[in-house]
Amino acid sequence: MNTFGYAFRVTTWGESHGNAIGCIIDGCPAGLKIDEEFIRKEMERRRPGKAFTSKRMEEDKVEILSGVLNGITLGTPISMLIRNIDIDSKPYEEIKSIPRPGHADFTYLAKFGIRDWRGGGRASARETAARVAAGAVAKQILSRYGIKIYGYAKEIAGVKFRVEDYERAFEIAECSDIRCPDPEMEEIAKHRIIEAMKEGDSVGGVVEIVAKNVPPGLGEPVFGKISAYFAFALMSIPSVKGFEIGRGFESARLRGSENNDQIILKNGKIRFLTNNAGGILGGITNGEDIVMRIAVKPTPSIAKVQKSVDLEKMEEVDLIVKGRHDPCIVPRIVPVAEAMTALVIVDCMMLQHLIPRSFV
Amino acid sequence: MNTFGYAFRVTTWGESHGNAIGCIIDGCPAGLKIDEEFIRKEMERRRPGKAFTSKRMEEDKVEILSGVLNGITLGTPISMLIRNIDIDSKPYEEIKSIPRPGHADFTYLAKFGIRDWRGGGRASARETAARVAAGAVAKQILSRYGIKIYGYAKEIAGVKFRVEDYERAFEIAECSDIRCPDPEMEEIAKHRIIEAMKEGDSVGGVVEIVAKNVPPGLGEPVFGKISAYFAFALMSIPSVKGFEIGRGFESARLRGSENNDQIILKNGKIRFLTNNAGGILGGITNGEDIVMRIAVKPTPSIAKVQKSVDLEKMEEVDLIVKGRHDPCIVPRIVPVAEAMTALVIVDCMMLQHLIPRSFV
Amino acid sequence: MNTFGYAFRVTTWGESHGNAIGCIIDGCPAGLKIDEEFIRKEMERRRPGKAFTSKRMEEDKVEILSGVLNGITLGTPISMLIRNIDIDSKPYEEIKSIPRPGHADFTYLAKFGIRDWRGGGRASARETAARVAAGAVAKQILSRYGIKIYGYAKEIAGVKFRVEDYERAFEIAECSDIRCPDPEMEEIAKHRIIEAMKEGDSVGGVVEIVAKNVPPGLGEPVFGKISAYFAFALMSIPSVKGFEIGRGFESARLRGSENNDQIILKNGKIRFLTNNAGGILGGITNGEDIVMRIAVKPTPSIAKVQKSVDLEKMEEVDLIVKGRHDPCIVPRIVPVAEAMTALVIVDCMMLQHLIPRSFV
Amino acid sequence: MNTFGYAFRVTTWGESHGNAIGCIIDGCPAGLKIDEEFIRKEMERRRPGKAFTSKRMEEDKVEILSGVLNGITLGTPISMLIRNIDIDSKPYEEIKSIPRPGHADFTYLAKFGIRDWRGGGRASARETAARVAAGAVAKQILSRYGIKIYGYAKEIAGVKFRVEDYERAFEIAECSDIRCPDPEMEEIAKHRIIEAMKEGDSVGGVVEIVAKNVPPGLGEPVFGKISAYFAFALMSIPSVKGFEIGRGFESARLRGSENNDQIILKNGKIRFLTNNAGGILGGITNGEDIVMRIAVKPTPSIAKVQKSVDLEKMEEVDLIVKGRHDPCIVPRIVPVAEAMTALVIVDCMMLQHLIPRSFV
């Protein structure tokens, strides 16, 4: 189950401290011009080593090994490889037999009877670099159709950010160290992150993802609802504990008359007076903006003493997790959530035959 | 995409006002004794025609057409049929060309160019009866392993319900007209429903689903996370707009040190001091209770005047939706959400080889 | 694994002597006019009860339960039901514990630990009636594109039939009791069938299937080769033991210079001088006729004494299989093979976006 | 569709003259000790550069990039990389716009509107190196269960080889340049290959694959028949035009009484007097040897003048294909067919829960 998608299928592979990570895109339309510089920029957006994030320095250079000839896709699998370079497994070796709270150490062991203790192995957020590479290809397809995906922090450490215009919010957030779209609240949020960091602690937040110009008719009846598919895609990102679309949990407190988006004619087209539904009715897009939010838990790797169990000795121990960690993963999850959103939309457009098998 | 599951695959079919609806279960282990009385009871739990719900009277009798010999499963597809009996399509005929706000009328049309206008067609919540039938088989499998699934309303019309013990909450809720687990708040919630109903309006709420005794090790790395799978399953239920697991959106506001569930030894087994994670780490179960919540929007069918567009004349009109509708769908979504939860767990247990291909 | 297809997905269900059998088509384009009379005729072509075939009398009436409104498909699952009427399980009851040679009795038991002993249960050729119903819908789609599928016996009981023109062969065969396209050899073949029948024995044969006007470009690289897909489809029919395409096994004896189909221009289009490849190169259609053959083993149910084992007593016994059986299944396999061929072509055309999601 | 398998899933990628080719195995059990030397030997068995085969010199070194820690599988995707080294695209450049008869040049173009003209691109038999790497892992799993897979030429250039004992045939063939199991006929076959080669021509043949000690109960009812799955697997190998199992096409000429394998008791176990069925009944294994044959067409690349069309000028031309080609691909297809057979058996054993998710 390391493959995502039906028509545009992405398989990722690789452990955090192995030789490399990578992905295969199977089903990408032929005849697409691949902009490698755009892929590089997207990788850069997710890259660690910046303020408020992990100190691991990875160039994250994507090597395209197949599926592309003279910069044009062939319709065959696109294999992308990212070498793991700045690896330091030592801090992990000491706690090899002690599962870290909030991490998948215990559960991978419960599942497989063996686990890669080096930097979280397959469960590490490093795996998401491969998703961003695949998402960068998907975004290039979407840009042919004028579809834009905007992601930014909607809340960090309990500080809520105000957003009026999605596009502008995205632009502001891209200039912010913490992908905050609300300059008024940015310093307060940063302060809280720093405070937590000083105490060896971490914070979480909420990411909002918006997709504009998505055509109506995407998604499938019953089990293929695009809302369910988005939930599946975004909940598969490490640390995500909640998902909502449109007004989401808020809509549970509204009356039907408040929540329903009334239907109007605008320039001869069916449109909606409001967008409480977040662009989706009955699991199928209605042409309005897709608006989604995900809850990101605080980074589980903290420098505070925590209880755990040494599985070799089968005794309780006090654990302090060393290594290089993000005090707040929210800013780096933004490009990953955008990538997953792009994958879902491209996939649904291919299933609906709105993207061809070949652009030639 | 009317099929759900990898190893235990459920396909549903049927329109609200067609001849029948039904489902196929493919991959059910052989040698399972089918308790038809239990299926009947589960159908009864979802059935309309009770207080606070739609007036449609359906016996919802499940006819098993294949896959079972002398009450024992054969390992071959189990086909279950439910006839549609109490059908009244007239109220829908008048508004055939006018999409209802909050419904999938417009989006199905955008997708397929044609739609079954009779009672919502395939997008009707009637489809979920087939899910409950399949879920009743899944629950019978789970009961062999001591796994219990409890669902109830956690909030209705903005009234939050207090829950201390999941099992007790379930038992209380089962005796409540509105599946309320909190006797203190029940009357207030009912009052709000009645108030909305009197005004021709509707309300929403939150459903909580708990699974107990789920073994550790379920779910798959990366895209097969069981948390993502639950989200996919529950978001595929009509009217659901949000999903969270464990502390969910609340965890976004916690510090890492508060949110991490510390690890302890209990009777020689790895357990967790708290369960903020809702029983899942890295997308794989850790043996603690699975705790999830979904946001249910207010029923879109309301008796108030709403704006819409007559698609034949392409002009805006004022619409009043007639027909028989639930002022609050929350109580009836509970067994559906339980069914979907059961399907996910059985499927993941089969993928993990914890349920055999045959019980013989 | 009772589902076939990727975009146009058919799930069949049902046991030979159960209440009913049936199928679901998921992914059928919307807006297709369903010709129920054509479905009836296709069912009639497969029906038993004629000369040289089993005496079981089944009307095989197909009841469409969903997915169609006023004769037009909705894009939602089409559920089709066929009741089992003329059932006589008695001859099977006596040999409940004795697996029949050449049948799946032992292997189903090895797999599931339980089997439906009534008339072969799920392994019975009766299951193929549901495939013919689904294939009849697929053929209606193909007819919009001028694609024709012709099936007939190419050999029966060792008697080879000469075919010069595929269409004419089909027409002649449709008028023949044994679907023989070669009037000169028909009587010899019939004589051999009758001879075998008299001795309580059975014969096999070869079926040829041709698809004309199939567009180039169908099939997918590597594992999705349409030749592999056809092999998968046709080998899934009970009693089929071999598959070949184009010159098939004969091409293994040719030189490259004899076997290669040279490439020419014809009316400005790329065509081939010969068609040894059977319309497929590299697993992708080339626009020439698809020509395939399958080997059909002699019916395993024979009235002769055979050795078997009574599994209750675990002792060897002499077995004579009673019941109503076809001395030669070849004629009845023809429409089933055509149906499977139609399913593959429709599926590949949808994957290639040559058939739309909706005809509206 | 570059992925094969349900539980043990192999995705291959790469073009013949691209940077590299490779594969991902997703679903491999954890805790398996990987014998890299065995993988190397299997690659060596398929490698070109030997007598009677292409002159391309590839070391075909497999680099394992993920999924394995200290030689033990983790249960996560195993990524294997094989660099393309000895590449000479020049002979292909001249005929860039001229599709070669018998090759996929025209059909890839028909499908994608673009094709990798360098050495056949994705359609090249070079892709099968990745299958052999994956198959080598599968074989290591099977060896834990005593399951052996034997492949050899059964016929080359019309010369049929006699086989009495499968294992011995394999051992002899492994010492033969052309994988011939019949020393008496080997020189005649070689002579025919050399004769064809001298004339710039090529020959085909038949490969036989036998799997011993396969447990009963593998394969799934109806569309998941293991016979259909083997056909799908083996027909996906380039140049394969036919498939048969057991007596195959020969059984079409037998009487039921001759073809049925009668059932006996042997050491308290159900066994069969003969094995005309090739180890499969009703699509499910019966515990006897799996015996299959595939028809391999003569190599399409020949040095003789052939007609084709220059697609740029849209005019007919005379084509002579240069480059390095196998006059007979049969010997090199043997390890590929074995690999595909191993993948099917491992996959079916996992689906049947006979191979665990983890060996730890």
Side-chain angles (χ1 to χ4, degrees), chain C residues 336-357:
Chain C
V336 180
E338 287 176 19
M340 293 311 295
T341 301
L343 293 182
V344 170
I345 297 174
V346 164
D347 198 31
C348 288
M349 286 180 75
M350 292 198 76
L351 290 173
Q352 187 68 5
H353 299 194
L354 295 179
I355 295 174
R357 295 294 307 271

Side-chain angles (χ1 to χ4, degrees), chain C residues 168-186:
Chain C
R168 211 173 122 64
F170 174 76
E171 281 165 8
I172 297 169
E174 283 300 293
C175 301
S176 152
D177 278 346
I178 56 168
R179 287 212 164 85
C180 168
D182 182 348
E184 265 180 70
M185 305 303 284
E186 182 165 358

Side-chain angles (χ1 to χ4, degrees), chain B residues 55-245:
Chain B
K55 294 290 170 292
R56 179 166 169 179
M57 296 301 295
E58 287 284 9
E59 195 194 352
D60 283 349
K61 194 177 146 35
V62 175
E63 187 186 358
I64 299 179
L65 295 174
S66 70
V68 177
L69 180 61
N70 301 328
I72 309 291
T73 59
L74 292 162
T76 55
I78 301 170
S79 176
M80 298 199 279
L81 183 86
I82 306 160
R83 294 276 169 189
N84 291 326
I85 293 165
D86 183 27
I87 294 172
D88 177 12
S89 300
K90 255 172 243 154
Y92 298 96
E93 185 143 31
E94 298 162 24
I95 54 168
K96 243 166 110 159
S97 62
I98 306 170
R100 294 163 299 163
H103 279 280
D105 300 349
F106 169 67
T107 53
Y108 267 61
L109 211 51
K111 182 167 200 72
F112 294 118
I114 182 176
R115 78 178 180 93
D116 185 352
W117 49 265
R118 305 166 308 168
R122 183 74 182 137
S124 164
R126 172 127 190 89
E127 175 271 333
T128 62
R131 305 192 192 198
V132 170
V137 174
K139 282 184 175 182
Q140 289 180 50
I141 297 173
L142 294 180
S143 79
R144 295 175 78 112
Y145 299 90
I147 298 168
K148 308 268 188 201
I149 294 169
Y150 301 128
Y152 42 81
K154 189 71 177 53
E155 179 181 331
I156 284 181
V159 183
K160 289 179 165 59
F161 304 136
R162 186 195 299 260
V163 165
E164 263 154 32
D165 178 272
Y166 301 130
E167 187 173 358
R168 213 175 120 64
F170 173 76
E171 281 164 8
I172 297 169
E174 283 300 293
C175 301
S176 153
D177 279 346
I178 56 169
R179 287 213 164 83
C180 170
D182 182 349
E184 266 182 69
M185 305 304 283
E186 182 164 358
E187 285 313 307
I188 304 174
K190 278 187 181 171
H191 183 74
R192 290 212 189 156
I193 299 174
I194 293 165
E195 221 168 36
M197 200 164 42
K198 278 186 192 156
E199 297 173 31
D201 215 336
S202 65
V203 299
V206 172
V207 167
E208 186 163 85
I209 302 288
V210 176
K212 291 186 92 77
N213 302 325
V214 176
L218 302 189
E220 304 287 328
V222 182
F223 301 120
K225 289 186 171 75
I226 199 171
S227 37
Y229 195 8
F230 279 130
F232 179 71
L234 295 173
M235 291 291 304
S236 79
I237 301 171
S239 294
V240 176
K241 302 298 285 183
F243 168 87
E244 58 179 10
I245 195 152

Side-chain angles (χ1 to χ4, degrees), chain B residues 260-333:
Chain B
N260 281 353
D261 300 311
Q262 299 190 43
I263 305 174
I264 53 168
L265 268 179
K266 207 168 160 181
N267 304 325
K269 283 197 165 169
I270 299 295
R271 298 296 299 271
F272 297 81
L273 258 185
T274 47
N275 187 20
N276 295 325
I280 289 165
L281 283 170
I284 297 172
T285 55
N286 66 8
E288 302 294 332
D289 295 341
I290 310 285
V291 186
M292 305 177 286
R293 281 169 301 284
I294 50 176
V296 180
K297 73 175 188 183
T299 320
S301 293
I302 55 176
K304 290 195 148 180
V305 177
Q306 296 178 92
K307 279 186 202 305
S308 186
V309 172
D310 186 320
L311 296 175
E312 259 172 36
K313 305 182 190 156
M314 276 309 263
E315 61 182 36
E316 298 189 351
V317 294
D318 279 344
L319 174 72
I320 295 178
V321 178
K322 293 172 199 164
R324 301 158 300 175
H325 309 293
D326 295 340
C328 177
I329 198 79
V330 171
R332 290 182 62 205
I333 276 194

Side-chain angles (χ1 to χ4, degrees), chain A residues 240-277:
Chain A
V240 175
K241 302 299 285 183
F243 167 88
E244 58 179 10
I245 196 153
R247 293 286 282 274
F249 278 88
E250 219 177 81
S251 69
R253 284 135 213 160
L254 300 178
R255 286 279 185 91
S257 57
E258 295 167 307
N259 189 61
N260 280 351
D261 300 311
Q262 300 190 44
I263 304 173
I264 53 168
L265 267 180
K266 207 167 159 182
N267 304 326
K269 284 196 163 168
I270 298 296
R271 296 298 298 273
F272 296 82
L273 256 185
T274 48
N275 187 21
N276 295 325

